[in-house]
Amino acid sequence: MTDNLKSSSSRSANPKWAIKNGSFAVLRPEQPVLYGWMVIEGDRITYIGEEEPQLEEGVQVVDGTHLFFMPGLINTHGHTAMSLLRGYGDDMVLQEWLQEKMWPMEAKFTSSDVYWGTSLSVLEMLKGGTTTFLDMYDHMDQVGKVVTESGMRAALTRGVIGLCPEDVQRHKLNEAIQFAKDWHGQADGRITAMISPHAPYTCPPDFIEKFVQAAHDLDLPMHTHMSETKAEVEQNVRDYGTRPAIHLEKLGMFSRPTILAHAVHLTDEEIDILAKHHVTVSHNPGSNLKLASGVARVTDMMQAGITVSLGTDSAASNNNLDMFEEMRLAALIHKGVSGDPTAVPAAEALRMGTIYGAQSLFLKGVGALEAGMKADFIAVNTDQAHFLPRTDFISHVIYSASAKDVEHVWVDGKQVVKHGSCLTLDEERIRREAQAAFEGLLSR
Amino acid sequence: MTDNLKSSSSRSANPKWAIKNGSFAVLRPEQPVLYGWMVIEGDRITYIGEEEPQLEEGVQVVDGTHLFFMPGLINTHGHTAMSLLRGYGDDMVLQEWLQEKMWPMEAKFTSSDVYWGTSLSVLEMLKGGTTTFLDMYDHMDQVGKVVTESGMRAALTRGVIGLCPEDVQRHKLNEAIQFAKDWHGQADGRITAMISPHAPYTCPPDFIEKFVQAAHDLDLPMHTHMSETKAEVEQNVRDYGTRPAIHLEKLGMFSRPTILAHAVHLTDEEIDILAKHHVTVSHNPGSNLKLASGVARVTDMMQAGITVSLGTDSAASNNNLDMFEEMRLAALIHKGVSGDPTAVPAAEALRMGTIYGAQSLFLKGVGALEAGMKADFIAVNTDQAHFLPRTDFISHVIYSASAKDVEHVWVDGKQVVKHGSCLTLDEERIRREAQAAFEGLLSR
């Protein structure tokens, strides 16, 4: 039975189905793109190859002509609820932006605000081809709820700022631990948890050590912001006599699997430390440029063997959650700034947005189009002017595409976006409620 | 009579019509966005304001709710036919890319290839909200033809490389002059012509002087590439004992209105020279990053009073023609590289993509939403997750939008894109013919 993908019904109910005539980003060094077939059974890819597979009678086969299939994109750093503050303050000096705009509004965030802000972000991400995201924020139960409803995959973590009295610290730490206990493995295993002190400059050393202990006890990875700005590195040296990577190593953090956000300002010694401990990095080029934080040493980190993935950071500092844009920025700025046009080639940028993302989050079986992997994948519409001529789809995806070229999205084998519309969330309601939530924040 | 813009028929036949409930990017320093009304009569905007205008009986009024109206985007440097080589060579060292990939293919370009390559670009640009473009290439009659058919506005110029015998030089110069004579003012005045020696490193000084003379004779502006790479600046110093801006000033070029493409590597003295002569600059951030040419001194140029606009360069080095992306790159990279988060704020980036573009091309009455200006404008669909909350539409357009958010486009008062579809060009045929043209180039 052959069906056309453009008119077929949702795949969610099908235990086994196949795509023919597809172009697939397998991203193998010797063969980045494969033309042929992919078979999906339940939540897994079970076959991908040029040759037609032997299929039982009744297996639905859909035609993938004019679609480019890629692993779902993986956004490894963000604060999704902050989409409620998109465009609320731009082009400002960092401290003024934080003190006058972000923090006063964030202090007013309720559970409901987090629910609708996260819903707005998840809607944008899913429609834009992101199938997994990391979220570090507060009211994380709400985020867990949105992830469950949306069908998306996520690494969730309560980010804790420790500049507060000891009893408040203890309360926040317990909250972070409880969240991790409650939610790790939820939503059919699509949710994993992490343990996150917010940053070395917002958490005293002994407080960070408690997070490290909790991560050991729960056997979970850790996440934190590190060395986003020059100023915070200088402060770390003033306060603790050493640079942040050395500081965190001393506190035992890197004895756990750890993903660092930003890591813009690193010495060679720090790069070696991160590489030695297999610490991974979420590079956030859009946010780093917009906040004028600087340009991370991405090619140096990758040459040292560090797994570097991509994150949008929040929509308050980006200001969208378009991972195509982050991949393109990663491919462009490191060429422009280094003077080397071969830096971060297109296929490597796509790996940063997919398989390196999964590795960064310590997720197994996610992030690639390969037999045995989770069926988290997306289809991009190539029947458009900016995808022509059909020279190199990976080049087109990195240098020419945007989130809005995404036509279909599957997570865990279930279709969640079809012809650009989200099947799992009520788009119109989310838009309305998110706007109302912002107006509520303004008026309170 | 009130109509809904989402269901109304083409505006092209209406001598007078109005938009109500619109948000308009008027980009005034004291009021960047105006909410209210705009009236269009023929090819002109005749009213824009908060107050309801007095309209005669029978004037059609359309509802602009959920649309953000902006001046059409102006792409001030490109080689549109080269879209046929999109993705044909990426992530390569410049000279290898040119010698092994671009030049051998371009040498095979026929008039027909230029026609279909330009059609592909014009289709992409129009659908993405670009209403005016500069094109410097060969077989320019074909480009003139596409511009005429498409309804777009363009500054067209035969770019001449002078590394050839004198009789060939003379032939090419005559061709450039003839093209300018034939096409300046064509397509109801939508086409203007320029005179273009390709670059100081590809044209001997006496040859450049002949172009200057021709520009004087025809009373036309000039266009050239200048100081895109460090290597060409060093070569200029070796060959002519001085840097390119000083060299071109000596050759009399700046006695004409001149727009320079790239201008990446400039000294303070060169910036002063450009400012003194009111030379304008087309900043091409995407191309400059991808080819690792460097980061232009945009904020320094603008502080010196130079009009800086934006260009995509060709899709072979970009690789799309999305002016939203160029505006965003301009807003982002100069923050990130300078360390100043207030550099190139959103409204200024939008001016670079619109009014400064018109000024760069020495076009009068184009590039702004203002009574008396040409009705070249676009409508962006704001009823989407990444345009929420409704905090600041200019921020959203610069930091969050892409070409694919453009819903409607008008040039010279005529609607050319409606609900994302081009009304003037045969999209499907262009896609098919462009692919065939590329395959033809490969096989010849």
Side-chain angles (χ1 to χ4, degrees), chain B residues 43 50 90 186-187 242 265 269 279 294 316 339 342 352 369 417:
Chain B
D43 62 348
E50 287 167 2
D90 300 289
Q186 289 299 308
T242 186
H265 302 280
E269 185 191 359
V279 173
T342 71
M352 290 171 80
L369 299 185
V417 172

Side-chain angles (χ1 to χ4, degrees), chain A residues 4-316:
Chain A
N4 187 312
L5 197 53
K6 296 212 167 176
S7 61
S8 66
S9 63
S10 166
R11 300 273 90 64
S12 53
N14 297 337
K16 180 169 179 175
W17 60 288
I19 299 163
K20 68 173 185 178
N21 299 325
S23 303
F24 299 95
V26 290
L27 292 168
R28 299 171 194 158
E30 76 288 1
Q31 184 194 30
V33 177
L34 178 151
Y35 301 90
W37 292 74
M38 186 162 82
V39 180
I40 298 97
E41 292 189 54
D43 63 347
R44 300 272 169 184
I45 296 166
T46 53
Y47 172 82
I48 186 161
E50 286 167 2
E51 288 183 24
E52 182 173 349
Q54 290 225 330
L55 296 171
E56 301 83 354
E57 188 103 0
V59 170
Q60 192 179 32
V61 177
V62 298
D63 189 346
T65 305
H66 294 310
L67 291 172
F68 183 57
F69 294 88
M70 301 162 36
L73 300 171
I74 298 182
N75 183 346
T76 61
H77 182 66
H79 315 283
T80 53
M82 290 182 75
S83 287
L84 288 190
L85 304 181
R86 188 197 324 266
Y88 180 61
D90 301 289
D91 309 322
M92 297 173 72
V93 172
L94 184 67
Q95 283 308 313
E96 283 173 30
W97 177 70
L98 288 172
Q99 288 169 15
E100 291 170 23
K101 293 283 184 173
M102 294 297 114
W103 292 343
M105 288 290 265
E106 286 189 273
K108 294 190 269 183
F109 269 44
T110 62
S111 285
S112 170
D113 293 325
V114 169
Y115 179 82
W116 290 114
T118 299
S119 295
L120 186 69
S121 289
V122 164
L123 178 62
E124 183 188 348
M125 286 194 283
L126 268 186
K127 290 178 71 168
T130 297
T131 54
T132 299
F133 69 107
L134 178 148
D135 197 39
M136 177 210 267
Y137 210 64
D138 195 1
H139 303 286
M140 290 302 294
D141 286 337
Q142 300 301 314
V143 181
K145 207 172 144 199
V146 175
V147 171
T148 305
E149 293 164 356
S150 67
M152 209 166 170
R153 193 181 301 284
L156 303 183
T157 178
R158 163 73 160 102
V160 177
I161 292 180
L163 304 172
C164 49
E166 212 184 307
D167 58 324
V168 183
Q169 279 189 354
R170 198 177 317 117
H171 174 75
K172 285 181 171 182
L173 173 62
N174 287 339
E175 208 176 70
I177 290 171
Q178 195 59 49
F179 172 78
K181 282 183 180 169
D182 290 347
W183 286 90
H184 185 66
Q186 290 299 308
D188 299 325
R190 296 196 316 275
I191 293 177
T192 50
M194 288 188 182
I195 295 296
S196 296
H198 173 270
Y201 71 96
T202 56
C203 293
D206 61 335
F207 194 43
I208 291 178
E209 284 173 328
K210 287 177 185 148
F211 281 85
V212 174
Q213 188 56 53
H216 273 294
D217 296 344
L218 298 168
D219 193 21
L220 290 177
M222 300 193 71
H223 181 48
T224 197
H225 298 93
M226 193 191 84
S227 303
E228 181 178 3
T229 67
K230 256 189 194 161
E232 74 187 67
V233 174
E234 286 161 6
Q235 188 186 325
N236 206 93
V237 172
R238 272 199 311 276
D239 291 352
Y240 308 119
T242 185
R243 295 176 67 92
I246 301 165
H247 178 64
L248 290 179
E249 185 191 32
K250 279 187 189 157
L251 297 175
M253 188 155 177
F254 302 155
S255 65
R256 295 301 313 161
T258 298
I259 170 168
L260 300 174
H262 305 300
V264 176
H265 301 280
L266 299 181
T267 61
D268 290 349
E269 185 191 0
E270 286 180 293
I271 289 176
D272 289 343
I273 288 171
L274 302 187
K276 188 176 80 180
H277 295 288
H278 307 291
V279 173
T280 67
V281 167
S282 177
H283 175 42
N284 294 193
S287 176
N288 293 162
L289 290 171
K290 183 156 185 280
L291 298 176
S293 306
V295 177
R297 297 176 59 187
V298 164
T299 51
D300 293 335
M301 287 193 271
M302 292 176 87
Q303 267 164 26
I306 296 171
T307 299
V308 181
S309 59
L310 294 168
T312 54
D313 209 349
S314 88

Side-chain angles (χ1 to χ4, degrees), chain B residues 33-160:
Chain B
V33 177
L34 179 150
Y35 302 89
W37 292 75
M38 185 162 81
V39 179
I40 297 97
E41 292 190 53
D43 62 348
R44 300 272 169 183
I45 296 165
T46 53
Y47 172 83
I48 186 160
E50 287 167 2
E51 289 183 23
E52 181 171 349
Q54 290 225 331
L55 296 171
E56 301 82 355
E57 188 104 1
V59 169
Q60 193 179 33
V61 177
V62 299
D63 189 346
T65 305
H66 295 309
L67 291 173
F68 183 56
F69 294 88
M70 300 162 36
L73 301 171
I74 298 182
N75 183 345
T76 60
H77 182 67
H79 315 283
T80 53
M82 288 182 76
S83 287
L84 288 190
L85 303 181
R86 187 198 323 264
Y88 180 61
D90 300 289
D91 309 322
M92 296 173 73
V93 171
L94 183 67
Q95 283 308 314
E96 282 172 29
W97 176 70
L98 288 172
Q99 287 170 14
E100 291 170 23
K101 292 283 185 173
M102 294 298 114
W103 291 343
M105 288 291 264
E106 286 188 272
K108 293 191 269 184
F109 269 44
T110 62
S111 286
S112 171
D113 294 325
V114 169
Y115 179 82
W116 291 113
T118 299
S119 295
L120 186 70
S121 290
V122 164
L123 178 62
E124 184 188 349
M125 286 194 285
L126 268 186
K127 289 179 70 168
T130 297
T131 54
T132 299
F133 69 108
L134 177 149
D135 198 39
M136 178 212 269
Y137 210 64
D138 195 0
H139 301 287
M140 292 301 295
D141 286 338
Q142 300 301 314
V143 181
K145 206 173 146 199
V146 176
V147 171
T148 306
E149 292 164 356
S150 68
M152 209 165 171
R153 192 180 303 283
L156 303 183
T157 178
R158 163 71 162 105
V160 176

Side-chain angles (χ1 to χ4, degrees), chain A residues 83-88 90-94 120 123-124 286 288-292 294-295 318-320 325 328-329 332-333 335-337 339-346 383-392 395-396 399-402 404-405 431 434-435 438-439, chain B residues 83-88 90-94 120 123-124 286 288-292 294-295 318-320 325 328-329 332-333 335-337 339-346 383-392 395-396 399-402 404-405 431 434-435 438-439:
Chain A
S83 287
L84 288 190
L85 304 181
R86 188 197 324 266
Y88 180 61
D90 301 289
D91 309 322
M92 297 173 72
V93 172
L94 184 67
L120 186 69
L123 178 62
E124 183 188 348
N288 293 162
L289 290 171
K290 183 156 185 280
L291 298 176
V295 177
N318 187 303
N319 292 353
N320 62 29
E325 188 186 321
R328 177 154 54 242
L329 282 173
L332 289 179
I333 62 174
K335 292 178 174 67
V337 169
D340 175 7
T342 71
V344 192
D383 203 17
Q384 305 183 82
H386 60 294
F387 276 86
L388 286 171
R390 292 188 284 277
T391 42
D392 179 345
S395 163
H396 292 348
Y399 294 120
S400 191
S402 80
K404 293 197 70 174
D405 295 318
R431 289 200 302 266
Q435 176 66 23
F438 171 73
E439 288 171 12
Chain B
S83 287
L84 288 190
L85 303 181
R86 187 198 323 264
Y88 180 61
D90 300 289
D91 309 322
M92 296 173 73
V93 171
L94 183 67
L120 186 70
L123 178 62
E124 184 188 349
N288 292 163
L289 291 171
K290 183 156 186 277
L291 298 176
V295 177
N318 188 303
N319 293 354
N320 60 31
E325 189 187 320
R328 176 153 57 241
L329 282 173
L332 290 179
I333 61 175
K335 293 178 172 68
V337 169
D340 175 6
T342 71
V344 191
D383 202 16
Q384 305 182 82
H386 61 293
F387 276 86
L388 286 171
R390 292 189 283 278
T391 42
D392 179 346
S395 163
H396 293 347
Y399 294 120
S400 192
S402 80
K404 293 196 71 173
D405 295 319
R431 289 201 301 267
Q435 176 65 24
F438 171 71
E439 289 171 12

Side-chain angles (χ1 to χ4, degrees), chain B residues 140-388:
Chain B
M140 292 301 295
D141 286 338
Q142 300 301 314
V143 181
K145 206 173 146 199
V146 176
V147 171
T148 306
E149 292 164 356
S150 68
M152 209 165 171
R153 192 180 303 283
L156 303 183
T157 178
R158 163 71 162 105
V160 176
I161 293 181
L163 304 172
C164 48
E166 213 184 306
D167 58 324
V168 183
Q169 279 188 353
R170 197 176 317 117
H171 174 75
K172 285 179 170 184
L173 173 62
N174 287 338
E175 208 176 69
I177 291 170
Q178 195 58 49
F179 172 78
K181 284 183 180 170
D182 290 347
W183 286 90
H184 186 66
Q186 289 299 308
D188 298 327
R190 296 195 316 275
I191 293 176
T192 51
M194 289 190 181
I195 297 294
S196 296
H198 172 270
Y201 70 96
T202 57
C203 291
D206 61 333
F207 194 44
I208 291 177
E209 285 173 329
K210 287 179 183 145
F211 281 85
V212 174
Q213 188 56 52
H216 273 295
D217 295 345
L218 298 167
D219 193 21
L220 291 177
M222 299 192 73
H223 182 47
T224 197
H225 299 93
M226 193 191 84
S227 303
E228 181 178 3
T229 68
K230 256 189 195 164
E232 76 188 64
V233 174
E234 287 161 6
Q235 187 187 327
N236 205 93
V237 173
R238 272 198 312 276
D239 291 352
Y240 309 118
T242 186
R243 294 176 67 92
I246 301 165
H247 177 66
L248 290 179
E249 185 191 34
K250 279 188 190 159
L251 296 175
M253 188 155 176
F254 302 155
S255 65
R256 295 301 313 160
T258 297
I259 170 168
L260 300 174
H262 304 301
V264 176
H265 302 280
L266 299 180
T267 60
D268 290 349
E269 185 191 359
E270 286 179 293
I271 289 176
D272 289 344
I273 288 170
L274 301 188
K276 188 176 79 180
H277 294 287
H278 308 291
V279 173
T280 67
V281 167
S282 177
H283 174 42
N284 295 192
S287 176
N288 292 163
L289 291 171
K290 183 156 186 277
L291 298 176
S293 305
V295 177
R297 298 176 59 189
V298 164
T299 51
D300 293 335
M301 286 193 271
M302 291 175 87
Q303 267 164 26
I306 296 172
T307 298
V308 180
S309 59
L310 294 168
T312 54
D313 209 349
S314 88
S317 64
N318 188 303
N319 293 354
N320 60 31
L321 305 175
D322 179 351
M323 283 289 291
F324 288 88
E325 189 187 320
E326 299 307 316
M327 293 193 294
R328 176 153 57 241
L329 282 173
L332 290 179
I333 61 175
H334 302 292
K335 293 178 172 68
V337 169
S338 70
D340 175 6
T342 71
V344 191
E348 196 67 355
L350 187 50
R351 288 187 194 101
M352 290 171 80
T354 57
I355 186 68
Y356 298 164
Q359 291 166 358
S360 279
L361 298 180
F362 310 101
L363 297 176
K364 305 270 186 236
V366 176
L369 299 185
E370 203 177 292
M373 297 293 264
K374 283 279 191 181
D376 290 10
F377 65 100
I378 69 178
V380 166
N381 173 14
T382 62
D383 202 16
Q384 305 182 82
H386 61 293
F387 276 86
L388 286 171

